Amino acid sequence: MNEIFFIVEEDPEGGFTARSLGESIITEADTIDELKKAIIDALRCHYESEAEIPKIIRLHYVKEEILTYA
């Protein structure tokens, strides 16, 4: 596997959460920069060897917005 995808969402209580698609990897951090480092750390913990870690990590940012129609 050369790529792994993460869905990045802003946490309502503050910070950010990243969830991988196709793997059981979830991590969180206070800032986007910290989250990127946390994703790398989570990948190192999840895979048994460095050779197994996907070389491309895609982050898909999801932002929820609510509109009301009155």
Side-chain angles (χ1 to χ4, degrees):
M1 177 167 53
N2 289 332
E3 291 183 321
I4 190 165
F5 294 83
F6 282 86
I7 301 296
V8 177
E9 297 177 294
E10 198 167 344
D11 193 320
E13 297 176 5
F16 298 88
T17 301
R19 291 181 176 83
S20 69
L21 299 176
E23 299 287 344
S24 298
I25 305 171
I26 300 172
T27 191
E28 59 187 13
D30 291 330
T31 67
I32 291 294
D33 287 337
E34 290 174 359
L35 185 66
K36 290 176 183 179
K37 291 175 187 171
I39 289 170
I40 298 296
D41 289 342
L43 289 170
R44 288 183 179 136
C45 290
H46 182 77
Y47 292 99
E48 291 184 24
S49 72
E50 290 278 327
E52 292 180 79
I53 298 173
K55 301 303 177 218
I56 298 171
I57 304 162
R58 294 191 185 268
L59 306 180
H60 293 271
Y61 295 90
V62 177
K63 181 171 175 133
E64 186 174 325
E65 186 174 349
I66 299 173
L67 299 175
T68 59
Y69 178 79

